[in-house]
Amino acid sequence: MDKNEYLLNEGGSTKAGARVCAAKRWRVLAAGLVLAVGGIWLLLHQMLGRSGNSTDEYALGALKSDKVQVELFVMSRCPDAIKVETVFNSVVRELYPILDIQLNFIAKPNPNATYGAECKHGDDECRGNIDELCALAHGGDLPLFWRFLNCLNSHSGDIGSDPDLSLKCASSAGLDTEAFISCALQAEGRELFRQSVENAQFAGVNTSATVFIDGHLRCVEDGGWRDCLGGHSASDFIRDICAAYKGSRSRPSICAEYPPVV
């Protein structure tokens, strides 16, 4: 018995009047949901106050939580992206309780492409992008995901081309491998990839690797560092993230080394 047959059979003994009332209730709830979503969408546009063409003012990620939002605009097989992710090893280790990292992959949308987009380094890179997004979505916490990412990056030439590598890295990092595989092989992974590509386009970013902190351009690595006001070392990023944190939880102890500027 498939899902639809199950639902039909489960409702077979319900009286016709109850079905009508239920249908009306669902129509009312649906209408309310549409209005609520529309209101939220309008509020977001008002808060952002931009069309998405300004990279310096991209602030969508900053609405998620009271953690500091770090967005990495990258490509999974890009040497510059791997360089930035390596710099962030100690940043994640020291600051993960106050840190929220989002991956936005740079690619060209194409509904006829294998994965719905064209990646600079081919379909293997698109596949690697999806694997990384699924690991982030089902990693449990940021340090677990970062272990997965370091594992992949240590075999960068095989990213996306060797499915055993992704599974091995997921297992060794302590991820929920069943959830990871389900995401990577089904529609969820492609949807995460589609959304990440849209985020990069909305921000107007087309260079891997680009770093945003709380919706603002912080640094670019593109065959060399540029636009990195405040530096590009791990300690520079730690200092700026500590300064940006305004949440209610205790700051990581390392933030005491970077007292706020009065």
Side-chain angles (χ1 to χ4, degrees), residues 80-233:
D80 293 318
I82 294 173
K83 182 177 180 179
V84 168
E85 290 160 357
T86 301
V87 170
F88 266 81
N89 283 340
S90 57
V91 179
V92 170
R93 182 176 64 250
E94 298 289 353
L95 299 182
Y96 73 88
I98 65 168
L99 187 60
D100 186 7
I101 288 185
Q102 177 176 319
L103 299 179
N104 296 323
F105 286 104
I106 298 170
K108 180 180 178 182
N110 180 353
N112 297 318
T114 303
Y115 297 104
E118 298 173 15
C119 295
K120 180 177 180 179
H121 302 96
D123 281 351
D124 286 345
E125 181 167 77
C126 290
R127 176 72 264 167
N129 295 348
I130 291 173
D131 287 350
E132 291 184 10
L133 288 166
C134 286
L136 182 59
H138 296 282
D141 63 27
L142 189 54
L144 288 183
F145 165 72
W146 217 255
R147 284 201 288 272
F148 168 87
L149 186 61
N150 279 328
C151 177
L152 279 191
N153 288 346
S154 66
H155 302 85
S156 59
D158 295 324
I159 292 175
S161 63
D162 181 2
D164 289 339
L165 173 63
S166 293
L167 184 56
K168 169 191 166 186
C169 290
S171 177
S172 64
L175 270 62
D176 181 340
T177 54
E178 183 177 346
F180 167 75
I181 292 171
S182 176
C183 172
L185 296 181
Q186 298 185 38
E188 181 187 2
R190 297 191 182 215
E191 177 61 18
L192 290 173
F193 181 41
R194 183 190 66 79
Q195 291 174 358
S196 80
V197 172
E198 285 188 358
N199 288 342
Q201 290 195 315
F202 182 85
V205 177
N206 54 26
T207 300
S208 173
T210 299
V211 180
F212 278 25
I213 295 180
D214 272 352
H216 299 276
L217 176 64
R218 175 57 181 79
C219 199
V220 177
E221 162 58 37
D222 184 21
W225 298 98
R226 60 178 173 84
D227 299 326
C228 300
L229 184 64
H232 52 76
S233 69

Side-chain angles (χ1 to χ4, degrees), residues 68 95 98 213-214 236-246 251 255 258-261:
V68 179
L95 299 182
I98 65 168
I213 295 180
D214 272 352
D236 293 326
F237 290 120
I238 289 172
R239 179 198 63 232
D240 288 358
I241 292 168
C242 286
Y245 180 63
K246 310 298 181 187
R251 292 169 176 261
C255 288
Y258 304 96
V261 178

